[in-house]
Amino acid sequence: MMGPGWGMGWGMGGGSWLIAGLVVLIGFAIYYFMKNNNNNGFNSSQKDSGTDAMEIVKKRLARGEITNAEFEEIKKRLL
């Protein structure tokens, strides 16, 4: 005869603890990746677009397409 605690598996409801733990673990993983992707993606894309625009304005100034006054005005708007 088998005494208490010597059955097959974890008894009634033992599998539900395992499933609940996996759901919590997956939830934390999704939260972590979403938090990192949103912060990095938003900040870096915003920073890159400002840098790219400034580079374009500098090149236009160097080619003589805009004047120094126009450059300063555009720079104020970008920054």
Coordinates of all heavy atoms in Angstrom, one line a residue:
M1 N 0.8 -1.2 0.0 CA 0.0 0.0 0.0 C 0.9 1.3 0.0 O 1.9 1.3 0.6 CB -0.9 0.0 1.3 CG -2.0 -0.8 1.2 SD -3.2 0.1 2.1 CE -4.5 -1.1 2.0
M2 N 0.3 2.3 -0.6 CA 1.0 3.5 -0.7 C 0.4 4.5 0.4 O -0.8 4.6 0.4 CB 0.9 4.1 -2.0 CG 1.7 3.4 -3.1 SD 1.7 4.3 -4.6 CE 1.6 2.9 -5.7
G3 N 1.3 5.2 1.1 CA 0.9 6.1 2.1 C 0.6 7.5 1.4 O 0.7 7.7 0.2
P4 N 0.3 8.5 2.2 CA 0.1 9.8 1.7 C 1.3 10.4 1.0 O 2.4 10.2 1.6 CB -0.3 10.6 2.9 CG -0.3 9.7 4.1 CD 0.1 8.4 3.6
G5 N 1.2 11.0 -0.1 CA 2.3 11.6 -0.8 C 3.1 10.6 -1.7 O 4.1 11.0 -2.3
W6 N 2.6 9.4 -1.8 CA 3.3 8.4 -2.6 C 2.6 8.1 -3.9 O 2.8 7.1 -4.5 CB 3.6 7.2 -1.8 CG 4.6 7.4 -0.7 CD1 4.3 7.7 0.6 CD2 6.0 7.4 -0.8 NE1 5.4 7.9 1.3 CE2 6.5 7.7 0.5 CE3 6.9 7.2 -1.9 CZ2 7.9 7.8 0.7 CZ3 8.3 7.3 -1.6 CH2 8.7 7.6 -0.3
G7 N 1.7 8.9 -4.3 CA 0.8 8.6 -5.5 C 1.6 8.9 -6.8 O 2.8 9.2 -6.8
M8 N 0.8 8.8 -7.8 CA 1.4 9.1 -9.2 C 1.2 10.6 -9.4 O 0.1 11.1 -9.4 CB 0.7 8.3 -10.2 CG 0.7 6.8 -9.9 SD 1.4 5.8 -11.1 CE 1.3 6.5 -12.7
G9 N 2.3 11.3 -9.7 CA 2.2 12.7 -10.0 C 2.1 13.5 -8.7 O 2.4 13.1 -7.6
W10 N 1.5 14.7 -8.8 CA 1.3 15.6 -7.7 C 0.0 15.6 -7.1 O -0.4 16.5 -6.3 CB 1.7 17.0 -8.2 CG 3.1 17.2 -8.5 CD1 4.1 16.3 -8.4 CD2 3.7 18.3 -9.1 NE1 5.3 16.8 -8.8 CE2 5.1 18.1 -9.3 CE3 3.2 19.6 -9.5 CZ2 5.9 19.0 -9.9 CZ3 4.1 20.4 -10.1 CH2 5.5 20.1 -10.3
G11 N -0.9 14.7 -7.5 CA -2.2 14.7 -7.0 C -3.2 15.6 -7.7 O -2.8 16.1 -8.8
M12 N -4.3 15.7 -7.2 CA -5.4 16.6 -7.8 C -4.9 18.0 -7.8 O -4.6 18.6 -6.8 CB -6.7 16.4 -7.1 CG -7.2 15.1 -7.0 SD -8.1 14.6 -8.5 CE -9.5 15.6 -8.5
G13 N -4.9 18.6 -9.0 CA -4.6 20.1 -9.1 C -3.1 20.3 -9.2 O -2.7 21.5 -9.3
G14 N -2.2 19.4 -9.1 CA -0.8 19.6 -9.2 C -0.4 20.2 -10.5 O 0.5 21.0 -10.6
G15 N -1.0 19.7 -11.6 CA -0.7 20.2 -12.9 C -1.2 21.7 -13.1 O -0.6 22.4 -13.9
S16 N -2.2 22.1 -12.4 CA -2.7 23.5 -12.5 C -1.7 24.4 -12.0 O -1.6 25.6 -12.5 CB -4.1 23.6 -11.8 OG -4.0 23.4 -10.5
W17 N -0.9 24.1 -10.9 CA 0.1 24.9 -10.4 C 1.2 25.1 -11.5 O 1.7 26.2 -11.6 CB 0.7 24.4 -9.1 CG -0.1 24.5 -7.9 CD1 -0.9 23.6 -7.3 CD2 -0.4 25.7 -7.3 NE1 -1.6 24.1 -6.3 CE2 -1.3 25.4 -6.2 CE3 0.0 27.1 -7.4 CZ2 -1.8 26.4 -5.3 CZ3 -0.4 28.0 -6.5 CH2 -1.3 27.7 -5.5
L18 N 1.5 24.1 -12.2 CA 2.5 24.1 -13.2 C 2.1 25.1 -14.3 O 2.8 25.9 -14.8 CB 2.8 22.7 -13.7 CG 3.9 22.7 -14.8 CD1 5.3 23.1 -14.3 CD2 4.0 21.3 -15.4
I19 N 0.9 24.9 -14.8 CA 0.3 25.8 -15.8 C 0.2 27.2 -15.4 O 0.6 28.1 -16.1 CB -1.1 25.2 -16.3 CG1 -0.9 23.9 -17.0 CG2 -1.7 26.3 -17.2 CD1 -2.2 23.2 -17.3
A20 N -0.2 27.5 -14.2 CA -0.3 28.8 -13.6 C 1.1 29.5 -13.6 O 1.3 30.6 -13.9 CB -0.9 28.9 -12.3
G21 N 2.1 28.7 -13.2 CA 3.5 29.2 -13.1 C 4.0 29.5 -14.5 O 4.7 30.6 -14.7
L22 N 3.7 28.7 -15.5 CA 4.1 29.0 -16.8 C 3.5 30.2 -17.4 O 4.1 31.0 -18.1 CB 3.8 27.8 -17.8 CG 4.8 26.6 -17.6 CD1 4.3 25.4 -18.4 CD2 6.2 27.0 -18.0
V23 N 2.2 30.4 -17.1 CA 1.5 31.6 -17.6 C 2.1 32.9 -17.0 O 2.3 33.9 -17.7 CB 0.0 31.5 -17.2 CG1 -0.7 32.8 -17.4 CG2 -0.7 30.4 -18.1
V24 N 2.4 32.8 -15.7 CA 3.0 34.0 -15.0 C 4.4 34.2 -15.6 O 4.8 35.4 -15.9 CB 3.1 33.8 -13.5 CG1 4.0 34.8 -12.8 CG2 1.8 33.7 -12.9
L25 N 5.2 33.2 -15.8 CA 6.5 33.3 -16.4 C 6.4 33.9 -17.8 O 7.2 34.9 -18.2 CB 7.2 32.0 -16.5 CG 8.7 32.0 -16.9 CD1 9.5 32.8 -16.0 CD2 9.2 30.6 -17.1
I26 N 5.5 33.5 -18.6 CA 5.3 34.0 -20.0 C 4.9 35.4 -19.9 O 5.3 36.3 -20.7 CB 4.4 33.1 -20.8 CG1 5.0 31.8 -21.1 CG2 3.9 33.8 -22.1 CD1 4.1 30.7 -21.7
G27 N 4.0 35.8 -19.0 CA 3.5 37.1 -18.8 C 4.7 38.1 -18.5 O 4.8 39.2 -19.1
F28 N 5.6 37.7 -17.6 CA 6.7 38.5 -17.3 C 7.6 38.7 -18.5 O 8.2 39.8 -18.7 CB 7.5 37.9 -16.1 CG 6.9 38.3 -14.7 CD1 6.6 37.3 -13.8 CD2 6.7 39.6 -14.4 CE1 6.1 37.5 -12.6 CE2 6.2 39.9 -13.1 CZ 5.9 38.9 -12.2
A29 N 7.8 37.6 -19.2 CA 8.7 37.7 -20.4 C 8.1 38.6 -21.4 O 8.8 39.5 -22.0 CB 8.9 36.3 -21.0
I30 N 6.8 38.6 -21.7 CA 6.2 39.5 -22.6 C 6.3 40.9 -22.1 O 6.6 41.8 -22.9 CB 4.7 39.1 -22.8 CG1 4.6 37.8 -23.6 CG2 3.9 40.2 -23.6 CD1 3.3 37.2 -23.7
Y31 N 6.0 41.2 -20.9 CA 6.2 42.5 -20.3 C 7.6 43.1 -20.5 O 7.8 44.2 -20.9 CB 5.8 42.5 -18.8 CG 6.1 43.8 -18.1 CD1 5.2 44.9 -18.3 CD2 7.2 43.9 -17.3 CE1 5.5 46.1 -17.6 CE2 7.4 45.1 -16.6 CZ 6.6 46.2 -16.8 OH 6.9 47.3 -16.2
Y32 N 8.6 42.2 -20.2 CA 10.0 42.7 -20.3 C 10.3 43.0 -21.7 O 10.9 44.1 -21.9 CB 10.9 41.5 -19.8 CG 12.3 41.8 -19.9 CD1 13.0 42.7 -19.1 CD2 13.1 41.2 -20.9 CE1 14.3 43.0 -19.2 CE2 14.4 41.5 -21.1 CZ 15.0 42.4 -20.2 OH 16.4 42.6 -20.4
F33 N 10.0 42.2 -22.7 CA 10.3 42.5 -24.0 C 9.5 43.7 -24.6 O 10.1 44.5 -25.3 CB 10.1 41.3 -24.9 CG 11.2 40.2 -24.7 CD1 10.8 38.9 -24.2 CD2 12.5 40.4 -24.9 CE1 11.7 38.0 -24.0 CE2 13.5 39.5 -24.7 CZ 13.1 38.2 -24.2
M34 N 8.3 43.8 -24.2 CA 7.5 45.0 -24.7 C 8.0 46.3 -24.1 O 8.1 47.3 -24.8 CB 6.0 44.8 -24.4 CG 5.4 43.6 -25.1 SD 5.3 43.9 -26.8 CE 4.0 45.1 -26.9
K35 N 8.4 46.2 -22.9 CA 8.9 47.4 -22.2 C 10.2 47.9 -22.9 O 10.4 49.0 -23.2 CB 9.2 47.2 -20.7 CG 9.7 48.3 -19.9 CD 9.9 48.0 -18.5 CE 10.6 49.1 -17.8 NZ 11.1 48.7 -16.5
N36 N 11.1 46.9 -23.1 CA 12.4 47.3 -23.7 C 12.3 47.7 -25.2 O 12.9 48.6 -25.6 CB 13.4 46.1 -23.6 CG 13.9 45.9 -22.2 OD1 13.9 46.8 -21.4 ND2 14.4 44.7 -21.9
N37 N 11.4 47.0 -25.9 CA 11.2 47.4 -27.3 C 10.5 48.8 -27.4 O 10.9 49.6 -28.3 CB 10.4 46.4 -28.0 CG 11.2 45.1 -28.3 OD1 12.4 45.2 -28.4 ND2 10.5 44.0 -28.5
N38 N 9.5 49.1 -26.6 CA 8.9 50.4 -26.7 C 9.8 51.5 -26.4 O 9.9 52.5 -27.1 CB 7.6 50.4 -25.8 CG 6.5 49.6 -26.4 OD1 6.5 49.4 -27.6 ND2 5.5 49.3 -25.6
N39 N 10.5 51.4 -25.3 CA 11.4 52.5 -24.9 C 12.5 52.7 -25.9 O 12.8 53.8 -26.3 CB 12.0 52.2 -23.5 CG 11.0 52.3 -22.4 OD1 9.9 53.0 -22.6 ND2 11.2 51.8 -21.2
N40 N 13.2 51.6 -26.2 CA 14.3 51.8 -27.1 C 13.9 52.2 -28.5 O 14.5 53.0 -29.1 CB 15.1 50.5 -27.2 CG 15.8 50.1 -25.9 OD1 16.1 51.0 -25.1 ND2 16.1 48.9 -25.7
G41 N 12.8 51.6 -29.0 CA 12.4 51.9 -30.3 C 11.9 53.4 -30.4 O 12.2 54.1 -31.4
F42 N 11.1 53.8 -29.5 CA 10.6 55.2 -29.5 C 11.7 56.2 -29.4 O 11.8 57.1 -30.2 CB 9.6 55.4 -28.4 CG 8.9 56.7 -28.4 CD1 8.0 57.1 -29.4 CD2 9.3 57.7 -27.4 CE1 7.5 58.3 -29.4 CE2 8.7 58.9 -27.4 CZ 7.8 59.3 -28.4
N43 N 12.5 56.0 -28.4 CA 13.6 57.0 -28.2 C 14.6 57.1 -29.3 O 15.0 58.1 -29.7 CB 14.3 56.8 -26.8 CG 13.4 57.1 -25.7 OD1 12.4 57.8 -25.8 ND2 13.7 56.5 -24.5
S44 N 15.0 55.9 -29.7 CA 16.1 55.9 -30.8 C 15.5 56.4 -32.1 O 16.2 57.1 -32.8 CB 16.6 54.5 -30.9 OG 15.7 53.6 -31.4
S45 N 14.3 56.0 -32.4 CA 13.7 56.5 -33.7 C 13.5 58.0 -33.7 O 13.7 58.7 -34.6 CB 12.4 55.8 -34.1 OG 11.4 56.2 -33.2
Q46 N 13.1 58.5 -32.5 CA 12.9 60.0 -32.4 C 14.3 60.7 -32.5 O 14.4 61.7 -33.2 CB 12.2 60.3 -31.1 CG 11.7 61.7 -30.9 CD 11.0 61.9 -29.6 OE1 11.4 61.3 -28.6 NE2 9.9 62.6 -29.7
K47 N 15.3 60.1 -31.8 CA 16.6 60.7 -31.9 C 17.2 60.6 -33.3 O 17.8 61.6 -33.8 CB 17.5 60.0 -30.9 CG 18.8 60.7 -30.7 CD 19.7 59.9 -29.7 CE 19.2 59.9 -28.3 NZ 20.0 59.2 -27.4
D48 N 17.0 59.5 -33.9 CA 17.6 59.3 -35.3 C 16.9 60.3 -36.3 O 17.6 60.8 -37.1 CB 17.4 57.9 -35.8 CG 18.3 56.9 -35.0 OD1 19.3 57.4 -34.4 OD2 18.0 55.7 -35.0
S49 N 15.6 60.5 -36.2 CA 15.0 61.4 -37.2 C 15.4 62.8 -37.0 O 15.6 63.5 -38.0 CB 13.4 61.3 -37.0 OG 13.0 61.8 -35.8
G50 N 15.7 63.2 -35.8 CA 16.2 64.6 -35.5 C 17.6 64.7 -36.1 O 18.0 65.7 -36.7
T51 N 18.4 63.7 -35.9 CA 19.8 63.7 -36.3 C 19.8 63.7 -37.9 O 20.6 64.4 -38.5 CB 20.6 62.5 -35.8 OG1 20.5 62.5 -34.4 CG2 22.0 62.5 -36.2
D52 N 19.0 62.8 -38.5 CA 19.0 62.7 -39.9 C 18.5 64.1 -40.5 O 19.1 64.5 -41.5 CB 18.0 61.7 -40.4 CG 18.5 60.3 -40.0 OD1 19.7 60.1 -39.8 OD2 17.7 59.3 -40.0
A53 N 17.5 64.7 -39.9 CA 17.1 66.0 -40.4 C 18.2 67.0 -40.3 O 18.4 67.8 -41.3 CB 15.8 66.4 -39.7
M54 N 18.9 67.0 -39.2 CA 20.0 68.0 -39.1 C 21.1 67.8 -40.1 O 21.6 68.7 -40.6 CB 20.5 67.9 -37.6 CG 21.3 69.0 -37.2 SD 20.3 70.5 -37.2 CE 21.5 71.7 -36.7
E55 N 21.4 66.5 -40.4 CA 22.4 66.2 -41.4 C 22.0 66.7 -42.7 O 22.8 67.2 -43.5 CB 22.7 64.7 -41.4 CG 23.4 64.1 -40.2 CD 24.7 64.8 -39.9 OE1 25.5 65.0 -40.9 OE2 25.0 65.1 -38.8
I56 N 20.7 66.5 -43.1 CA 20.2 67.0 -44.3 C 20.3 68.5 -44.5 O 20.8 69.0 -45.5 CB 18.7 66.6 -44.5 CG1 18.6 65.1 -44.7 CG2 18.1 67.3 -45.7 CD1 17.2 64.5 -44.6
V57 N 20.0 69.2 -43.4 CA 20.1 70.7 -43.4 C 21.5 71.1 -43.5 O 21.8 72.1 -44.3 CB 19.4 71.3 -42.1 CG1 19.7 72.7 -42.0 CG2 18.0 71.0 -42.1
K58 N 22.4 70.4 -42.8 CA 23.9 70.8 -43.0 C 24.4 70.6 -44.4 O 25.1 71.4 -44.9 CB 24.7 69.9 -42.0 CG 24.6 70.3 -40.6 CD 25.4 69.4 -39.7 CE 25.2 69.8 -38.2 NZ 26.0 68.9 -37.3
K59 N 23.9 69.5 -45.0 CA 24.3 69.3 -46.4 C 23.8 70.3 -47.4 O 24.4 70.7 -48.3 CB 23.9 67.9 -46.8 CG 24.7 66.8 -46.2 CD 24.2 65.4 -46.6 CE 25.0 64.3 -45.9 NZ 24.5 63.0 -46.2
R60 N 22.5 70.7 -47.1 CA 21.9 71.7 -47.9 C 22.6 73.1 -47.8 O 22.8 73.8 -48.8 CB 20.4 71.9 -47.6 CG 19.6 70.7 -48.0 CD 18.1 71.0 -47.7 NE 17.6 72.1 -48.5 CZ 16.5 72.8 -48.3 NH1 15.7 72.4 -47.3 NH2 16.1 73.8 -49.0
L61 N 23.1 73.4 -46.6 CA 23.8 74.6 -46.3 C 25.2 74.5 -47.1 O 25.6 75.5 -47.7 CB 24.1 74.8 -44.8 CG 24.9 76.0 -44.5 CD1 24.2 77.3 -44.9 CD2 25.2 76.0 -43.0
A62 N 25.8 73.3 -47.0 CA 27.1 73.2 -47.6 C 27.0 73.3 -49.2 O 27.9 73.8 -49.8 CB 27.7 71.8 -47.3
R63 N 25.9 72.8 -49.7 CA 25.7 72.9 -51.2 C 25.2 74.3 -51.6 O 25.2 74.6 -52.8 CB 24.7 71.9 -51.6 CG 25.2 70.5 -51.6 CD 24.2 69.5 -52.3 NE 22.9 69.5 -51.6 CZ 22.5 68.4 -50.9 NH1 23.2 67.3 -50.9 NH2 21.3 68.5 -50.4
G64 N 24.9 75.1 -50.7 CA 24.5 76.5 -51.0 C 23.0 76.6 -51.3 O 22.5 77.6 -51.9
E65 N 22.2 75.6 -51.0 CA 20.8 75.6 -51.3 C 20.0 76.5 -50.3 O 18.9 77.0 -50.6 CB 20.2 74.2 -51.2 CG 20.7 73.2 -52.2 CD 20.2 71.8 -52.1 OE1 19.3 71.6 -51.2 OE2 20.7 70.9 -52.8
I66 N 20.5 76.7 -49.1 CA 19.9 77.6 -48.1 C 21.0 78.5 -47.6 O 22.2 78.3 -47.6 CB 19.2 76.8 -47.0 CG1 20.3 75.9 -46.2 CG2 18.1 75.9 -47.5 CD1 19.7 75.2 -45.0
T67 N 20.5 79.6 -47.0 CA 21.4 80.6 -46.4 C 21.7 80.3 -45.0 O 21.0 79.4 -44.4 CB 20.8 82.0 -46.5 OG1 19.6 82.1 -45.7 CG2 20.5 82.4 -48.0
N68 N 22.6 81.0 -44.4 CA 22.9 80.8 -43.0 C 21.7 81.2 -42.1 O 21.4 80.5 -41.1 CB 24.1 81.7 -42.5 CG 25.4 81.1 -43.0 OD1 25.5 79.9 -43.3 ND2 26.4 82.0 -43.1
A69 N 20.9 82.2 -42.5 CA 19.8 82.6 -41.7 C 18.7 81.5 -41.7 O 18.1 81.1 -40.7 CB 19.2 83.9 -42.2
E70 N 18.5 80.9 -42.9 CA 17.6 79.8 -43.1 C 18.0 78.6 -42.3 O 17.2 77.9 -41.6 CB 17.4 79.4 -44.5 CG 16.7 80.5 -45.4 CD 16.7 80.2 -46.8 OE1 17.7 79.6 -47.3 OE2 15.7 80.5 -47.5
F71 N 19.3 78.3 -42.3 CA 19.9 77.2 -41.5 C 19.6 77.4 -40.0 O 19.2 76.5 -39.4 CB 21.4 77.1 -41.8 CG 22.1 76.1 -40.9 CD1 22.0 74.7 -41.2 CD2 22.8 76.5 -39.8 CE1 22.6 73.8 -40.4 CE2 23.4 75.6 -39.0 CZ 23.3 74.2 -39.3
E72 N 19.9 78.6 -39.5 CA 19.6 78.8 -38.1 C 18.2 78.7 -37.7 O 17.8 78.2 -36.7 CB 20.1 80.2 -37.7 CG 21.6 80.4 -37.8 CD 22.4 79.4 -36.8 OE1 21.9 79.2 -35.7 OE2 23.5 78.9 -37.2
E73 N 17.3 79.1 -38.6 CA 15.8 79.0 -38.3 C 15.4 77.6 -38.3 O 14.7 77.1 -37.4 CB 15.0 79.8 -39.4 CG 13.5 79.7 -39.2 CD 13.1 80.4 -37.9 OE1 13.7 81.4 -37.5 OE2 12.0 79.9 -37.4
I74 N 15.9 76.8 -39.2 CA 15.6 75.3 -39.3 C 16.1 74.6 -38.1 O 15.5 73.8 -37.5 CB 16.1 74.7 -40.6 CG1 15.3 75.3 -41.8 CG2 15.9 73.2 -40.6 CD1 15.9 75.0 -43.2
K75 N 17.4 75.0 -37.7 CA 18.0 74.4 -36.6 C 17.2 74.7 -35.3 O 17.1 73.8 -34.4 CB 19.4 74.9 -36.4 CG 20.3 74.2 -35.4 CD 21.7 74.6 -35.5 CE 22.0 75.8 -34.6 NZ 23.5 76.1 -34.5
K76 N 16.7 75.9 -35.1 CA 15.9 76.2 -33.9 C 14.6 75.3 -33.9 O 14.2 74.8 -32.8 CB 15.5 77.7 -33.9 CG 16.6 78.6 -33.6 CD 16.1 80.0 -33.7 CE 17.2 81.0 -33.5 NZ 16.7 82.4 -33.7
R77 N 14.0 75.1 -35.0 CA 12.8 74.3 -35.1 C 13.1 72.8 -34.8 O 12.3 72.1 -34.1 CB 12.2 74.3 -36.5 CG 11.5 75.6 -36.7 CD 10.7 75.5 -38.1 NE 10.7 76.9 -38.7 CZ 10.5 77.1 -39.9 NH1 10.3 76.0 -40.8 NH2 10.5 78.3 -40.4
L78 N 14.2 72.3 -35.2 CA 14.6 70.9 -35.0 C 15.0 70.7 -33.6 O 14.7 69.6 -33.0 CB 15.7 70.5 -36.0 CG 15.3 70.4 -37.4 CD1 16.5 70.0 -38.3 CD2 14.2 69.3 -37.6
L79 N 15.7 71.6 -33.0 CA 16.2 71.4 -31.6 C 15.2 72.0 -30.7 O 14.7 71.7 -29.8 CB 17.6 72.0 -31.4 CG 18.6 71.4 -32.4 CD1 19.9 72.1 -32.2 CD2 18.8 69.9 -32.1

